[in-house]
Amino acid sequence: MAISKARKDELVAQYKALIEKSDVIFLAEYTGMSVKEMENLRIKISEAEGGFYVTKNTLLKIALAESDRPVPEDMLVGQVATGFALGEAPILAKALADFAKSSDNLTLKGGLMANETLTAQQVEALASLPSLDQLRGQILGLISAPAQGIVSALTNGVRQVINVVDAYAKSEEGEAEAEAA
């Protein structure tokens, strides 16, 4: 069924708006996917702060070209759905890659990051990266480890001085008691 020129223009505008908001765009083929599977996938993608839309290939090509993005002609063949990373790209890539591993009906084709085309393997590599919060935690751990070492060394040094002074005080008390007796 053909769609009207007005509807095509509306879809191109919608795709362009999503492209502008997205740091990374993922392309996947969804052959034979049931409505329930698609709903489950959209829920996972929504949790990953992304959007997932069944896109018309020719209209997506137009939107990409108008947004000055590369048009991966070889990836825009067949039943293509597009994932738009509206949040952190690795989280969305992980959601897509995990779903693709558990379902025979979704195949990652690749994607676009800035003006670079990504292969399916690069998308999977992106999916293996930690999230921004995880990276922050790792950096904090790296920064705090030397500080904890310094604090530990200082407290050990102070503790040794206190032990020496305490031992000296006890020996003085012991000598004073011995003289008194």
Side-chain angles (χ1 to χ4, degrees):
M1 179 169 103
I3 59 176
S4 68
K5 171 87 168 109
R7 178 68 180 141
K8 287 180 183 178
D9 292 340
E10 184 182 318
L11 286 173
V12 169
Q14 179 185 5
Y15 297 163
K16 279 178 60 176
L18 288 166
I19 290 168
E20 303 282 325
K21 292 178 189 175
S22 302
D23 292 330
V24 181
I25 299 165
F26 300 105
L27 301 169
E29 190 167 352
Y30 66 99
T31 308
M33 188 176 266
S34 70
V35 174
K36 185 165 179 68
E37 280 182 303
M38 185 66 84
E39 285 177 10
N40 289 338
L41 177 58
R42 283 194 171 129
I43 289 169
K44 289 181 184 196
I45 288 174
S46 176
E47 290 170 355
E49 297 180 27
F52 192 70
Y53 301 90
V54 172
T55 51
K56 296 197 80 47
N57 294 338
T58 54
L59 300 180
L60 184 59
K61 287 178 188 178
I62 292 168
L64 287 169
E66 289 180 5
S67 298
D68 295 325
R69 296 278 186 107
V71 179
E73 299 280 344
D74 57 326
M75 291 183 206
L76 294 174
V77 178
Q79 293 180 314
V80 175
T82 307
F84 296 94
L86 305 173
E88 293 183 41
I91 295 173
L92 179 59
K94 182 166 178 45
L96 284 168
D98 288 348
F99 195 88
K101 286 177 186 170
S102 67
S103 173
D104 294 334
N105 299 329
L106 185 73
T107 307
L108 289 174
K109 289 185 147 195
L112 298 168
M113 181 184 288
N115 287 327
E116 297 293 322
T117 303
L118 302 174
T119 65
Q121 293 80 16
Q122 288 172 319
V123 171
E124 289 185 18
L126 185 61
S128 68
L129 292 176
S131 70
L132 191 56
D133 286 340
Q134 290 171 329
L135 282 174
R136 286 180 180 144
Q138 289 173 355
I139 290 171
L140 263 165
L142 290 172
I143 291 171
S144 68
Q148 288 173 344
I150 291 170
V151 168
S152 176
L154 288 174
T155 56
N156 285 339
V158 170
R159 196 173 295 128
Q160 288 175 351
V161 169
I162 290 172
N163 288 340
V164 167
V165 170
D166 186 48
Y168 180 76
K170 286 181 181 176
S171 72
E172 288 293 318
E173 284 178 13
E175 286 178 15
E177 287 177 9
E179 287 178 11

